[in-house]
Structures are given as structure tokens and as C-alpha cells.
Amino acid sequence: MSADPHTSPRQAGGEPSSFREFLAALGEPLLYLVRTFRELSEMFALTLYYMVRGRTRWRAIFEQLHEVGNRSVIFIAVTLGFLGMILIYQAGYQAEQITGDLQLLGGLFLQLLLREFAPTITAMMIATRVATGMAAQIGSMVVTEQVDALRMCAAPPVDYLVVPRFIATTIMMIVLTIFAVLVSYSAGALTALFSFGLNVRTFIDLSFIGWFDLILCLSKALAYGMAIPIIACHAGLNVSGGSEGVGRATTNAVVNASLAVVILDFILTSLGYVVLSLIP
């Protein structure tokens, strides 16, 4: 016997249609996130596997080191240099208004730079410039069926395309973070000298820096350097729909890589302070 078509879902004992629509709207993005996280985890595991078992392609690695590192130096120097000047000017102005004492300005700025600004801002810059290029390059190879040709030649795309980018980005992320600290701190010292008359020897203060700051800074740089190429290459390898798909992949790469940097920053910062609180 068929159900009365005029009977509402609630009256028929089923779920209300609005509730079903709510579950569908909630479930679809959630399933997408779970599927994407699973695929990224699989690609990360495969990348580590081919790093150990695959053939090391030094030429491809050096090409990526040049692409990620050398071509980002000016970009990072300008961004972190101006950031250092702005932060010192703002902090110095506030300190002069409140206490008039600028003796601690350099030491506290270096601590903040190591713990947060240098690795995270550098990673955001790399995510913007490098992740876009990786996704576009690999996506174009997918569209022109070059990736299919690699598979037919028994060359796994993860081994051939992802591993060199993964190694190069991880190495250069650490190098660029150290470079960012030096540039931003130097710019801050000059700003303190010319804006507030603070001597450079007074500004350079290492008394606030400890092993925790260095480990946290390098840990963040390492994590960002591994996450950005995996996300960018995953976006490129999953391109569909021709040139429009390549455009969507580049957008997804930069958005997801930036989001991953923010999430990793929160996780690593929280873990770092938990570990620090346990040490007597």
C-alpha cells in the first residue's frame, strides 16, 4: 500500500525534510574534509617511502631548491624587513608613551620573532608563491596527459614529481626562516636606531632567548616545509576539467596551504607551551 503523498515526513514517521537537508549540508563538507585528509596522509606516507626506497634525483632537487629558495629571497627579505620595521616602530612608540624605557625592546622582539613571526610569516609567503606554482605546473602536466605517460613508463608520479619538491621545500623553509630572522631583526635594529636613538648594541639582546625558542622556531619551519608541498602537489595531481581545473587547483593549493600553516601554528605553539610548563 503506497503512502499518502499529502502526509508530511514527520507524520509518516520519517525525518523532517529540513533536518535531512541540514544533515546533507553538514555531511558533504565533512566527508570532503575527511577524504582530503586521508588522501594527503597517503601521499605523505608514499613520499616518505619513495624518499627511502626510490632513486634520488639530485638534478630535480637542485632545480626545486633554486625555484623555492633563490626566487623567494627578495620576496621574503622585503616582507620580513618591512614587518620588522613596523613592529619595532609600533612597540617602541607604545613603550615610550607608557614607560619611556626601550632597553628590553630588542630582546623581546627577537623572542617574538623566533617563536611566531619568522617561521609563520615566511611559510605564508612560501604558500602564496611556491604552492601556486607547484599546483599549476603539475596540474598542467595532468591536463596534457604527461602524468599518465609517467605511469605508463612505470614512473610513479609521487616519486618523480612530489619527492624532489618535498625535499627542496623542507630544506629551504628552514634556511629562509633563519634568513627571515636575520633580515627582520636587522631592520628592527635600524628602525630603533633612527626612530628612537636606541643604540644597536643595546638592541641586540640575547638574554630572553633559550633553547625552547630555537626548537620551536625550527620545528615550525620543518612542519610548514613538509605540509606546503604535499598540499600543493595533491591539488595539482587531482586536476580535472582542463585549464579551468588548473585554475581551481592553484586556488585550492594556496588556500589549503595557508590554512594548514595556521592550524599547524596553533598545534605546535600549544604543544610547545605544554612541554615548557612540564619542565621544572
Side-chain angles (χ1 to χ4, degrees), residues 21-210:
E21 292 172 358
F22 171 75
L23 288 179
L26 184 66
E28 187 174 354
L30 190 62
L31 287 175
Y32 172 77
L33 287 176
V34 172
R35 185 172 63 250
T36 303
F37 182 77
R38 179 176 55 80
E39 292 174 356
L40 290 172
S41 302
E42 290 174 354
M43 180 174 287
F44 179 65
L46 270 178
T47 303
L48 295 181
Y49 171 79
Y50 284 119
M51 280 179 63
V52 177
R53 303 297 298 271
R55 185 166 63 90
T56 305
R57 296 176 175 81
W58 292 108
R59 182 174 179 179
I61 292 172
F62 281 117
E63 288 176 355
Q64 293 300 319
L65 285 171
H66 176 78
E67 179 66 28
V68 175
N70 295 34
R71 295 191 176 182
S72 300
V73 166
I74 302 299
F75 191 42
I76 298 298
V78 172
T79 304
L80 270 297
F82 275 103
L83 180 68
M85 290 190 287
I86 293 168
L87 287 175
I88 286 299
Y89 188 79
Q90 293 287 348
Y93 177 77
Q94 295 293 334
E96 271 198 336
Q97 295 294 316
I98 297 172
T99 63
D101 185 9
L102 299 176
Q103 300 294 318
L104 304 180
L105 188 62
L108 292 175
F109 175 60
L110 183 57
Q111 187 184 66
L112 187 65
L113 203 59
L114 287 171
R115 289 187 180 186
E116 188 61 44
F117 282 108
T120 304
I121 299 298
T122 303
M124 296 294 277
M125 297 298 105
I126 294 297
T128 302
R129 198 191 76 77
V130 175
T132 306
M134 287 181 182
Q137 189 178 20
I138 296 177
S140 299
M141 293 179 68
V142 171
V143 171
T144 55
E145 299 181 351
Q146 294 180 58
V147 174
D148 291 335
L150 285 175
R151 292 192 178 97
M152 292 179 66
C153 296
V158 173
D159 184 21
Y160 195 82
L161 299 174
V162 179
V163 170
R165 289 168 173 80
F166 179 83
I167 294 173
T169 308
T170 303
I171 293 173
M172 293 313 300
M173 187 66 222
I174 296 173
V175 174
L176 288 172
T177 297
I178 296 171
F179 173 71
V181 171
L182 296 176
V183 169
S184 190
Y185 199 62
S186 300
L190 293 176
T191 304
L193 174 64
F194 291 113
S195 298
F196 306 107
L198 184 64
N199 192 287
V200 174
R201 292 183 179 179
T202 306
F203 185 86
I204 299 176
D205 182 2
L206 305 181
S207 60
F208 290 92
I209 304 304

Side-chain angles (χ1 to χ4, degrees), residues 261-273:
V261 168
V262 174
I263 294 173
L264 285 172
D265 183 27
F266 173 75
I267 294 172
L268 292 174
T269 301
S270 303
L271 287 176
Y273 281 104

